[in-house]
Amino acid sequence: MNYLCLVYLAPDQLHSCPDHVCFAYAEELRGSGHFIAAQALKPVDSATTVRIRNGHMSLTDGPFAETKEQLAGFYLIDAKDLNEAIHWASRIPPARYGSIEVRPVRELDLSSLALATDAG
């Protein structure tokens, strides 16, 4: 099963963990066969939030909500269960400075799409 490990850090902690430490962890994760993808994100002041309400799009600079911590990056991993995902998440270096949210990836139900394609 795939799990998304979301890395949250306070703005003043964004550069607390050196890039080479995170890279070394990603290499260890890759060597274990659990690595799918990982990326660091730019600070929230570079974000744009998109909303569609009543058929109209609105754009807002920055994140959707004010929080003490911001989404700083992610690791997408393959783990046999939540316990294994938590094990790997606990080893993500920025966990020492912020928090890691571990969330299972929901598989989309595409059965109706397949039926529509077959009928066409």
Side-chain angles (χ1 to χ4, degrees):
M1 178 167 212
N2 293 341
Y3 290 86
L4 186 61
C5 301
L6 299 165
V7 177
Y8 289 94
L9 294 167
D12 63 344
Q13 296 291 316
L14 284 179
H15 301 291
S16 296
C17 186
D19 289 347
H20 74 274
V21 174
C22 294
F23 182 79
Y25 171 75
E27 287 302 302
E28 178 186 355
L29 194 59
R30 189 182 320 273
S32 74
H34 292 62
F35 181 90
I36 296 173
Q39 286 291 318
L41 299 174
K42 292 194 177 207
V44 295
D45 62 359
S46 67
T48 301
T49 300
V50 178
R51 292 182 187 86
I52 305 293
R53 300 291 184 271
N54 299 318
H56 298 282
M57 179 177 63
S58 70
L59 302 176
T60 307
D61 290 339
F64 174 71
E66 292 292 324
T67 61
K68 291 182 180 179
E69 293 183 329
Q70 59 185 331
L71 181 60
F74 70 90
Y75 290 84
L76 181 60
I77 65 171
D78 180 36
K80 66 181 176 188
D81 57 27
L82 180 59
N83 288 331
E84 186 175 56
I86 290 170
H87 163 78
W88 284 104
S90 72
R91 299 183 66 192
I92 295 173
R96 292 177 236 143
Y97 310 100
S99 60
I100 311 298
E101 177 183 341
V102 179
R103 191 183 303 185
V105 174
R106 182 173 63 93
E107 297 294 326
L108 297 178
D109 178 7
L110 301 177
S111 59
S112 60
L113 179 64
L115 293 173
T117 303
D118 291 342

